[in-house]
Amino acid sequence: MNRRIFLTELRQAVRNKRTAAVLLIGIAISIVHVFHNIAPNIGIWHDMALNPKTEQQYPYHLFNEWMCGNTYNLEGFLYFMIFPLLAVFPYSSSFYEDKEKGYIRQIYIRTQRTVYLKAKFGAVFLTGGMVIVLPLLINFMICAALLPALYPQNLAGTFIGASVLWYRLYEIHPVWYVLLFLMADFLFAGLVACLPLFFSFYSDKKYVILLMPFLTHIFIYAVCMMSGIPGAVKYAPAYLIFAGSGCPSGWWLSGYLVIYFLLGGAAYWKIGNTEDIF
């Protein structure tokens, strides 16, 4: 990949108003979570930790109370329901816009298609992952400053049991568990952000292209909810990459990542290399 073209694309992706707007929305949700769920209860929780009423009482802690620590906080659920919108908004329409404005013709005259296509994919992927993970990381750090980082205990109430991926890591090294999920969130969000690159070949409506990942996300969630199969909703992306829910299957996680890469990466690459834009 031509480094100069990639850095130009990345600079345009990061230094634009849409990226700033999405980051502000994500950070706002993460801070609202702190004021809504953490701040009002800090005194009570600290008193519980210092003066337990029974031997079975376990203090509330960081790994169960941050925004991704449980699935019953409104902000975390909302965030993972709308994350495809947040991931695609900053830069995913740029490939479509380059074609509409004729800019892509100038690029193809000056350099190889493969260089531009790789640079575009890389910039969109990194930006999509960044705008999703950065607010989560900020929320985790704020909660870490307010809550004790105690080792999780299943008896204290958690969805992370022997039926989910990395459950032993959650019990022994919970920080690594959180980091693994943040990495999974980054990969997932980055690939979701790349889906409009593929959809741009089949629609001339920009907002249709941007909405398709979100509509797919909601459709999968709705199918899982209405299937009548107990626990099926955990296989929807909204819960599959939610640390507090726990990933029930590494195969399902890998499957989603592979499918999204085949569409937003491989198919985009193949069609982009053969598309007649002159």
Side-chain angles (χ1 to χ4, degrees), residues 83-117:
F83 93 86
L85 291 176
L86 300 177
V88 305
F89 188 67
Y91 203 57
S92 297
S93 64
S94 61
F95 182 61
Y96 168 85
E97 293 166 353
D98 287 351
K99 292 197 295 181
E100 282 293 293
K101 296 175 182 178
Y103 174 72
I104 197 171
R105 297 189 184 95
Q106 302 178 36
I107 292 292
Y108 284 177
I109 291 172
R110 290 176 171 81
T111 189
Q112 297 178 348
R113 287 191 182 208
T114 56
V115 172
Y116 168 78
L117 293 174

Side-chain angles (χ1 to χ4, degrees), residues 3-21 23 88-99 101 103-104 106-107 116 119-128 130-131:
R3 188 167 178 266
R4 181 177 59 82
I5 293 179
F6 171 67
L7 290 177
T8 299
E9 288 288 338
L10 189 59
R11 205 159 31 239
Q12 291 175 348
V14 174
R15 297 178 182 176
N16 73 67
K17 294 179 180 178
R18 290 180 295 185
T19 301
L23 280 173
V88 305
F89 188 67
Y91 203 57
S92 297
S93 64
S94 61
F95 182 61
Y96 168 85
E97 293 166 353
D98 287 351
K99 292 197 295 181
K101 296 175 182 178
Y103 174 72
I104 197 171
Q106 302 178 36
I107 292 292
Y116 168 78
K120 182 65 71 178
F121 176 86
V124 171
F125 175 83
L126 292 175
T127 306
M130 177 195 69
V131 296

Side-chain angles (χ1 to χ4, degrees), residues 103-223:
Y103 174 72
I104 197 171
R105 297 189 184 95
Q106 302 178 36
I107 292 292
Y108 284 177
I109 291 172
R110 290 176 171 81
T111 189
Q112 297 178 348
R113 287 191 182 208
T114 56
V115 172
Y116 168 78
L117 293 174
K118 287 180 181 178
K120 182 65 71 178
F121 176 86
V124 171
F125 175 83
L126 292 175
T127 306
M130 177 195 69
V131 296
I132 294 300
V133 169
L134 189 57
L136 295 179
L137 188 58
I138 289 173
N139 178 267
F140 183 77
M141 293 172 68
I142 294 174
C143 291
L146 299 174
L147 294 171
L150 302 176
Y151 284 102
Q153 296 289 331
N154 282 329
L155 292 176
T158 176
F159 293 106
I160 314 302
S163 62
V164 301
L165 200 63
W166 306 322
Y167 79 97
R168 289 294 295 164
L169 190 65
Y170 179 72
E171 295 176 348
I172 301 172
H173 300 291
V175 172
W176 284 106
Y177 177 86
V178 170
L179 291 176
L180 271 177
F181 261 93
L182 289 178
M183 289 171 60
D185 293 342
F186 188 97
L187 288 174
F188 213 97
L191 291 175
V192 165
C194 291
L195 290 177
L197 300 178
F198 167 74
F199 293 132
S200 65
F201 296 117
Y202 299 100
S203 176
D204 58 357
K205 305 294 184 182
K206 181 169 73 171
Y207 291 102
V208 171
I209 294 168
L210 292 177
L211 281 173
M212 280 303 294
F214 175 69
L215 295 176
T216 302
H217 184 71
I218 294 298
F219 175 75
I220 296 173
Y221 176 78
V223 168

Side-chain angles (χ1 to χ4, degrees), residues 28-51:
I29 293 173
S30 72
I31 292 176
V32 167
H33 165 267
V34 174
F35 280 99
H36 182 215
N37 297 276
I38 308 298
N41 302 307
I42 291 177
I44 299 172
W45 293 347
H46 277 259
D47 182 63
M48 288 173 60
L50 296 173
N51 304 295

